[in-house]
Amino acid sequence: MTDEWPERGALKDRVDLELKEFVDQEITELIAVDKELAPLAEQLRTATEQGKRLRAAFCYWGWRAAGQPDSDAMIRAATAMELVHAAAVVHDDIIDNSPVRRGAPTAHVALRETLSGLADRTAGGRALAMLAGDLLMSWAGQLFTSCGLPAAYLARARSMWATLARELVAGEALEILRTGSPPHAGSSLQVIRYKTAKYTVEHPLHIGGRLAGAGPSLLETFSSYGLPLGEAFQLRDDLLGVFGSPHITGKSNLDDLTGHKPTALLAMTWPAATPAERKVLRGLLGSRSLDQQGLEQVRDIMRRTGSVTRIEALIAERVRAATSAVTRAGLPPPAARALTGLIDSAVSRHS
């Protein structure tokens, strides 16, 4: 399987350009309110500068899979998905108290360092980052509705925006509510589905498809493809979160463990661990003093219990399901080729 279909690089370049032009204009208008907002503007720019643009690609190819031609207006609509993602990342880093993202300080940490007059700079930085995330989500809706597609097309996708927001928040809330709870595979997979899988793959596909006037059968195909692929994407992320190289992922290996996140990786580890290993895990998970030695202990337990192998098996199972959905669908060749390539982009990654 390969992700090097001819349109891939060109599509990303177009999304990057649309995003930069939109963000530049919005930042200009923000700074016009008061130059003191410059640190906030800088974090808004940082949050949108990098990315694989997978969500925009899924949205665009949802449109093309329904038989619609290439369109600059559709590129702008798809680019709005990247602003949703940027908002989710900023909020997620606040919730997780993550210090680093893409090798740089997270928004709430960077903004904390710009505050000199507050007694509680940490709270101030978190508050500013929360506002940045809120503005990014607002920008997403603004860019989408002003993309240039006919109002009748936008109306077809309006309900999916409500669904996307509701289910994204539901997934985040469930993760918070279940953090520190006894690990359970079914519960962890539900969090994965709502926190990541849907807004990463299924919802962008549905939005692109609905804009194009896709019928129920094609939308069902998008779900058959998007849900397993979105879950595989997050399962890979869970593995990278503990076993990936921080120099490549740009994130600490400790975040999921110090946060005692209800990941599927942990849910697979717990029932297979010995009583002695569970005692070790209880002492390490959720500890803010967890260090490299403790990380290696957790890794050793995860390897010994076979949980890493089981997560890889779940990823492979979901890749097969997504591939089968594309193969059976009879999509236009460019869309079939792109959606097949995006499977590899989503799961065969190191960051």
Side-chain angles (χ1 to χ4, degrees), residues 59 76-84 136-145 154 156-168 203 207 210-211:
C59 188
R76 286 189 288 274
T79 299
M81 299 298 102
E82 296 302 319
L83 289 166
V84 171
L136 287 164
M137 186 62 85
S138 175
W139 282 357
Q142 179 183 334
L143 178 57
F144 185 78
T145 55
L154 296 174
R156 292 193 294 239
R158 187 174 296 127
S159 64
M160 275 308 305
W161 272 92
T163 300
L164 183 155
R166 178 174 60 250
E167 294 187 348
L168 176 56
H203 289 152
I207 287 171
R210 284 173 183 252
L211 287 170

Side-chain angles (χ1 to χ4, degrees), residues 144-155:
F144 185 78
T145 55
S146 64
C147 68
L149 289 173
Y153 287 33
L154 296 174

Side-chain angles (χ1 to χ4, degrees), residues 31-48:
I31 296 296
V33 174
D34 196 297
K35 291 182 180 179
E36 197 173 353
L37 294 167
L40 179 63
E42 181 181 349
Q43 291 309 307
L44 290 163
R45 194 184 303 282
T46 297
T48 56

